[in-house]
Amino acid sequence: MPKQMETLYPNYWKNDTDEGGKNLYEDKFLRKSYIGGSTDLYKPILKSGFYYDVNSLYPTVMCLDMPLKQGSYSTFNRNKNDNDFLNFFGFLEIKVQTPKKITNPILSKNLGIDGNVCPVGDWTSTYFSEEVKLAKTLGYKIIVIRKFGFIRGKIFKDFISLFYNIRKLYSKTNPLNKIAKLLLNSLYGRFGMQFVISQKTILPLRNLKSFKTTKIIKSYTSLDLNNCIVDNYSKSFFNNISSNIAVQIAASITSYARVFMFRYKNLPNNL
């Protein structure tokens, strides 16, 4: 948490929930697992075999169980079996150790500007439980630090069926097909929108003090002796937090998609 904001608004940042029914700490924890798809670059060479293409990948996995309602934190009892998370549904902060011999690792790690990789070795991060369960079957060593659990249920199945059937009624050149496709593929991203949106402002250092009267300053960096760049929020920020964001849904969908594709990356005799 930015130190300036914690100092200016100590009670707000320590409340369990804000006015929109969201929790900024929870969003930060869950957002670590929202790292997008697993993209690989191959030089295709096929003398005798089959091509596979997943039709509407994200809409397909959206028909699976999603995390519902308000989740809750808890820690695991270290005295229990290490596999006690196998009946858990939600998000896990874990310490990971990959198997010594693994051809196609499953768990991704975000490297910021360098994008996502599926590394080998040891690290700590947060993942959707269903992806961690697959990693466990592949020989990953998992130590759970924290968990954030949800009840599970299907919330998109009727929506997906409706618009997928509309797609099938029209050719790919028909605008209705394109509209239905857009609604199918873009819905999940709405839930993963940024919870807090800041803006950057360049201003003279002499104006910084007056700037603080209208803005909430997250951080600032000097550009030269006279100017600085300020990362800031409007003071109306607290009244405008959207309650229509649920990053756990977007994160679970992208995780399900990685799991779905993993089976095709590891077909027997697929060399």
Short mmCIF file of all heavy atoms in Angstrom, two decimals, residues 77-98:
data_model
loop_
_atom_site.label_atom_id
_atom_site.label_comp_id
_atom_site.label_asym_id
_atom_site.label_seq_id
_atom_site.Cartn_x
_atom_site.Cartn_y
_atom_site.Cartn_z
N ASN A 77 -3.81 -25.62 8.28
CA ASN A 77 -3.18 -26.24 9.44
C ASN A 77 -1.96 -27.03 8.96
O ASN A 77 -2.10 -28.03 8.25
CB ASN A 77 -4.18 -27.18 10.14
CG ASN A 77 -3.62 -27.74 11.43
OD1 ASN A 77 -2.41 -27.73 11.67
ND2 ASN A 77 -4.50 -28.23 12.28
N ARG A 78 -0.78 -26.53 9.31
CA ARG A 78 0.45 -27.18 8.82
C ARG A 78 0.62 -28.60 9.36
O ARG A 78 1.43 -29.36 8.86
CB ARG A 78 1.66 -26.33 9.21
CG ARG A 78 1.64 -24.94 8.59
CD ARG A 78 1.66 -25.01 7.08
NE ARG A 78 1.51 -23.72 6.45
CZ ARG A 78 2.51 -22.86 6.28
NH1 ARG A 78 3.72 -23.15 6.72
NH2 ARG A 78 2.30 -21.72 5.68
N ASN A 79 -0.14 -28.95 10.39
CA ASN A 79 -0.04 -30.30 10.93
C ASN A 79 -0.84 -31.30 10.13
O ASN A 79 -0.71 -32.50 10.30
CB ASN A 79 -0.52 -30.31 12.39
CG ASN A 79 0.40 -29.48 13.28
OD1 ASN A 79 1.61 -29.45 13.08
ND2 ASN A 79 -0.19 -28.80 14.25
N LYS A 80 -1.70 -30.78 9.24
CA LYS A 80 -2.50 -31.69 8.41
C LYS A 80 -1.68 -32.16 7.22
O LYS A 80 -0.58 -31.68 6.94
CB LYS A 80 -3.77 -30.97 7.93
CG LYS A 80 -4.81 -30.78 9.01
CD LYS A 80 -6.09 -30.21 8.40
CE LYS A 80 -7.19 -30.09 9.43
NZ LYS A 80 -8.45 -29.58 8.84
N ASN A 81 -2.30 -33.08 6.46
CA ASN A 81 -1.66 -33.57 5.26
C ASN A 81 -1.47 -32.44 4.25
O ASN A 81 -2.33 -31.57 4.12
CB ASN A 81 -2.53 -34.68 4.65
CG ASN A 81 -1.82 -35.40 3.52
OD1 ASN A 81 -1.58 -34.81 2.47
ND2 ASN A 81 -1.52 -36.67 3.73
N ASP A 82 -0.36 -32.43 3.54
CA ASP A 82 -0.09 -31.37 2.57
C ASP A 82 -1.11 -31.34 1.44
O ASP A 82 -1.20 -30.36 0.70
CB ASP A 82 1.31 -31.56 1.97
CG ASP A 82 2.39 -31.22 2.97
OD1 ASP A 82 2.09 -30.53 3.95
OD2 ASP A 82 3.53 -31.66 2.75
N ASN A 83 -1.89 -32.41 1.29
CA ASN A 83 -2.86 -32.48 0.21
C ASN A 83 -4.25 -32.01 0.63
O ASN A 83 -5.22 -32.20 -0.11
CB ASN A 83 -2.97 -33.92 -0.30
CG ASN A 83 -1.67 -34.40 -0.94
OD1 ASN A 83 -0.92 -33.60 -1.48
ND2 ASN A 83 -1.41 -35.69 -0.87
N ASP A 84 -4.38 -31.36 1.78
CA ASP A 84 -5.72 -31.01 2.24
C ASP A 84 -6.37 -29.89 1.42
O ASP A 84 -7.53 -29.60 1.58
CB ASP A 84 -5.71 -30.62 3.73
CG ASP A 84 -4.86 -29.40 4.02
OD1 ASP A 84 -4.19 -28.90 3.09
OD2 ASP A 84 -4.86 -28.95 5.18
N PHE A 85 -5.61 -29.30 0.49
CA PHE A 85 -6.21 -28.29 -0.39
C PHE A 85 -6.92 -28.91 -1.59
O PHE A 85 -7.56 -28.20 -2.36
CB PHE A 85 -5.14 -27.31 -0.89
CG PHE A 85 -4.15 -27.91 -1.85
CD1 PHE A 85 -4.42 -27.96 -3.21
CD2 PHE A 85 -2.94 -28.41 -1.41
CE1 PHE A 85 -3.50 -28.50 -4.10
CE2 PHE A 85 -2.02 -28.95 -2.29
CZ PHE A 85 -2.31 -29.00 -3.64
N LEU A 86 -6.83 -30.21 -1.76
CA LEU A 86 -7.40 -30.86 -2.93
C LEU A 86 -8.92 -30.78 -2.95
O LEU A 86 -9.54 -30.93 -4.01
CB LEU A 86 -6.94 -32.32 -3.01
CG LEU A 86 -5.43 -32.52 -3.21
CD1 LEU A 86 -5.08 -34.00 -3.23
CD2 LEU A 86 -4.95 -31.84 -4.49
N ASN A 87 -9.55 -30.55 -1.81
CA ASN A 87 -11.01 -30.38 -1.76
C ASN A 87 -11.41 -28.92 -1.62
O ASN A 87 -12.56 -28.61 -1.36
CB ASN A 87 -11.59 -31.18 -0.58
CG ASN A 87 -11.38 -32.67 -0.75
OD1 ASN A 87 -11.54 -33.21 -1.84
ND2 ASN A 87 -11.03 -33.35 0.34
N PHE A 88 -10.44 -28.04 -1.84
CA PHE A 88 -10.67 -26.61 -1.66
C PHE A 88 -10.97 -25.96 -3.01
O PHE A 88 -10.46 -26.38 -4.06
CB PHE A 88 -9.41 -25.99 -1.04
CG PHE A 88 -9.40 -24.49 -1.01
CD1 PHE A 88 -10.11 -23.80 -0.05
CD2 PHE A 88 -8.67 -23.77 -1.96
CE1 PHE A 88 -10.09 -22.41 -0.03
CE2 PHE A 88 -8.65 -22.39 -1.94
CZ PHE A 88 -9.37 -21.70 -0.98
N PHE A 89 -11.80 -24.91 -3.00
CA PHE A 89 -12.10 -24.17 -4.24
C PHE A 89 -11.89 -22.68 -3.97
O PHE A 89 -12.54 -22.10 -3.09
CB PHE A 89 -13.55 -24.42 -4.67
CG PHE A 89 -13.89 -23.79 -6.01
CD1 PHE A 89 -13.58 -24.43 -7.19
CD2 PHE A 89 -14.52 -22.56 -6.06
CE1 PHE A 89 -13.88 -23.86 -8.42
CE2 PHE A 89 -14.84 -21.97 -7.28
CZ PHE A 89 -14.52 -22.63 -8.47
N GLY A 90 -11.00 -22.09 -4.72
CA GLY A 90 -10.70 -20.68 -4.52
C GLY A 90 -9.30 -20.37 -5.00
O GLY A 90 -8.85 -20.89 -6.03
N PHE A 91 -8.60 -19.56 -4.23
CA PHE A 91 -7.27 -19.10 -4.63
C PHE A 91 -6.27 -19.37 -3.52
O PHE A 91 -6.57 -19.20 -2.34
CB PHE A 91 -7.31 -17.62 -4.99
CG PHE A 91 -8.14 -17.36 -6.22
CD1 PHE A 91 -9.52 -17.24 -6.12
CD2 PHE A 91 -7.55 -17.29 -7.46
CE1 PHE A 91 -10.29 -17.05 -7.25
CE2 PHE A 91 -8.31 -17.09 -8.60
CZ PHE A 91 -9.69 -16.97 -8.49
N LEU A 92 -5.07 -19.79 -3.94
CA LEU A 92 -4.05 -20.24 -3.00
C LEU A 92 -2.76 -19.46 -3.20
O LEU A 92 -2.26 -19.37 -4.33
CB LEU A 92 -3.77 -21.72 -3.20
CG LEU A 92 -4.93 -22.69 -2.95
CD1 LEU A 92 -4.66 -24.01 -3.65
CD2 LEU A 92 -5.14 -22.90 -1.46
N GLU A 93 -2.25 -18.91 -2.13
CA GLU A 93 -0.89 -18.38 -2.16
C GLU A 93 0.02 -19.53 -1.76
O GLU A 93 -0.13 -20.09 -0.67
CB GLU A 93 -0.71 -17.21 -1.20
CG GLU A 93 0.68 -16.61 -1.25
CD GLU A 93 0.88 -15.48 -0.26
OE1 GLU A 93 0.04 -15.31 0.65
OE2 GLU A 93 1.88 -14.76 -0.39
N ILE A 94 0.94 -19.89 -2.64
CA ILE A 94 1.72 -21.11 -2.43
C ILE A 94 3.20 -20.89 -2.69
O ILE A 94 3.59 -19.99 -3.44
CB ILE A 94 1.22 -22.26 -3.34
CG1 ILE A 94 1.33 -21.84 -4.82
CG2 ILE A 94 -0.18 -22.67 -2.98
CD1 ILE A 94 1.00 -22.96 -5.79
N LYS A 95 4.00 -21.73 -2.05
CA LYS A 95 5.40 -21.87 -2.40
C LYS A 95 5.49 -23.05 -3.35
O LYS A 95 4.96 -24.13 -3.07
CB LYS A 95 6.26 -22.11 -1.16
CG LYS A 95 6.38 -20.90 -0.25
CD LYS A 95 7.31 -21.19 0.92
CE LYS A 95 7.46 -19.96 1.82
NZ LYS A 95 8.34 -20.24 2.97
N VAL A 96 6.15 -22.85 -4.48
CA VAL A 96 6.17 -23.83 -5.55
C VAL A 96 7.58 -24.37 -5.75
O VAL A 96 8.55 -23.61 -5.70
CB VAL A 96 5.70 -23.20 -6.88
CG1 VAL A 96 5.72 -24.24 -8.00
CG2 VAL A 96 4.33 -22.58 -6.73
N GLN A 97 7.67 -25.66 -5.96
CA GLN A 97 8.93 -26.27 -6.41
C GLN A 97 8.59 -27.23 -7.54
O GLN A 97 7.81 -28.17 -7.37
CB GLN A 97 9.63 -27.02 -5.28
CG GLN A 97 10.98 -27.59 -5.69
CD GLN A 97 11.66 -28.32 -4.55
OE1 GLN A 97 11.22 -29.39 -4.12
NE2 GLN A 97 12.74 -27.74 -4.06
N THR A 98 9.14 -26.96 -8.72
CA THR A 98 8.83 -27.79 -9.87
C THR A 98 9.58 -29.11 -9.81
O THR A 98 10.63 -29.21 -9.17
CB THR A 98 9.20 -27.06 -11.18
OG1 THR A 98 10.59 -26.71 -11.15
CG2 THR A 98 8.38 -25.80 -11.35
#
